[in-house]
Amino acid sequence: MCRTGAPGRAAPEHNDAMTGNGAEATEGTAGTAGSQRAEDAESAESVVAADAEAAVGGSPAPARTGRKGGEWARHWRYAELPGLDLLRARYVRHAFPRHSHDGYVLAAVTGGVERVGLPDGVTDAGHGGIVMINPEVPHTAQAGAPEGWAYSTLYPSEQLVAAIAAETTGLTGTAAFAETLTDDAHAVHLINGVHRAAEKGNALAADSLLRIVVARLLRRHGGTLPVRTPQAAGARTAERARALLESRLTAPPTLEQLAQELGTSPFALLRAFKNAYGMPPHAWLTDARIRRARLLLEAGTAPAETAVAVGFTDQPHLNRHFTRIVGVPPGAYRRGRAGA
């Protein structure tokens, strides 16, 4: 589950007022979801949603990327919905390694159980569950049951969520989700509706349903990302290390070389980097390479050329890491953006 762009922001620090999603619950949002204003808004939106769903009806089209063992996935972009990626998939053996996104994740589980590993622990999402992950929060995902899990996922950009939050909530600062998991069958229905509408080319219905479901989740589970405080020495070292790695994707230094260049020790650098970004430097580097690869593939670059350009030894090396992190092979990802 990744989006494009280099993973440049540190993972939020955790405190008692924050969730593992890196957000602070904010008075006036989740705490007042039952207010008359919120009820009136949701009542009006439910009418719009019903009309939009009636216009597209049916089930999402079968996914195009099939795999062994009953796994399938489609990761694509609908040109009429800028700032949004879509993924529908069923995974059984596939496991996403620790990674992060530069935007949000809203995943509606439609079957089985998804097990999500977050900075503060592991959570299982079953049928009817909605997983909400904020930007740059490191996480893993794998099956939480023998049958795996199926889900429909939206990846809205920060700009898109900010615009919806500004219009529909009283949140101040950077909008975020204060909870990671909720059971909300109607939100699952709405997310599936976004997919159906996009697949059928109904831009008006897709955009309407997208905005309605994001607004619903923000009103019920919204918070704000904490304001960043002045960095300690370790955090500044980690930020410098990140910048150096980002500038040397194709020829990165060893851990010892990187530590020497920054005037610290290898173990001190490992601790500082993981505290800041939620993963060690080598995992961050792979994640950064995949994000850069996505940008190149979206621009039409062939997978073989992309592999070399981002520092992988060859296309099979890219294929292996790309599929683990994104959920589909590079070729399928590139086709899913053709014309978008």
Side-chain angles (χ1 to χ4, degrees), residues 255-276:
L255 179 65
E256 184 175 10
Q257 290 169 342
L258 185 60
Q260 287 179 347
E261 191 164 345
L262 296 172
T264 186
S265 70
F267 280 106
L269 176 57
L270 275 175
R271 288 192 298 270
F273 201 97
K274 193 172 187 302
N275 286 339

Side-chain angles (χ1 to χ4, degrees), residues 259-322:
Q260 287 179 347
E261 191 164 345
L262 296 172
T264 186
S265 70
F267 280 106
L269 176 57
L270 275 175
R271 288 192 298 270
F273 201 97
K274 193 172 187 302
N275 286 339
Y277 298 105
M279 61 185 87
H282 69 272
W284 184 94
L285 178 67
T286 300
D287 198 23
R289 283 173 165 171
I290 295 303
R291 293 196 190 193
R292 184 75 59 83
R294 292 178 67 166
L295 291 173
L296 292 173
L297 292 166
E298 288 166 10
T301 306
E305 296 176 36
T306 297
V308 175
V310 301
F312 289 114
T313 54
D314 52 27
Q315 185 174 338
H317 193 199
L318 168 67
N319 289 352
R320 183 168 63 255
H321 287 290
F322 195 98

Side-chain angles (χ1 to χ4, degrees), residues 204-285:
L204 183 58
D207 195 16
S208 300
L209 292 169
L210 169 64
R211 293 174 186 276
I212 287 169
V213 72
V214 172
R216 174 188 178 89
L217 294 173
L218 282 173
R219 278 198 297 264
R220 293 181 173 216
H221 312 288
T224 57
L225 290 178
V227 177
R228 295 184 65 182
T229 55
Q231 294 181 326
R236 289 194 296 270
T237 298
E239 187 171 47
R240 291 171 59 206
R242 179 202 58 78
L244 285 171
L245 289 173
E246 189 174 354
S247 68
R248 302 177 192 173
L249 287 183
T250 59
T254 66
L255 179 65
E256 184 175 10
Q257 290 169 342
L258 185 60
Q260 287 179 347
E261 191 164 345
L262 296 172
T264 186
S265 70
F267 280 106
L269 176 57
L270 275 175
R271 288 192 298 270
F273 201 97
K274 193 172 187 302
N275 286 339
Y277 298 105
M279 61 185 87
H282 69 272
W284 184 94
L285 178 67

Side-chain angles (χ1 to χ4, degrees), residues 71 139 280 307 325:
E71 294 191 339
H139 60 282
I325 290 178

Side-chain angles (χ1 to χ4, degrees), residues 6-25:
R9 186 167 60 232
E13 296 181 2
H14 187 80
N15 61 49
D16 292 339
M18 293 169 57
T19 70
N21 225 5
E24 298 172 320

Side-chain angles (χ1 to χ4, degrees), residues 93-141:
R93 295 184 177 181
H94 184 81
F96 290 89
R98 192 165 302 280
H99 65 286
S100 60
H101 306 260
D102 63 354
Y104 299 81
V105 181
L106 301 175
V109 179
T110 56
V113 178
E114 180 187 17
R115 178 161 295 161
V116 183
L118 291 155
D120 65 344
V122 175
T123 186
D124 285 349
H127 179 71
I130 300 285
V131 177
M132 300 167 285
I133 301 177
N134 292 321
E136 305 302 348
V137 173
H139 60 282
T140 62

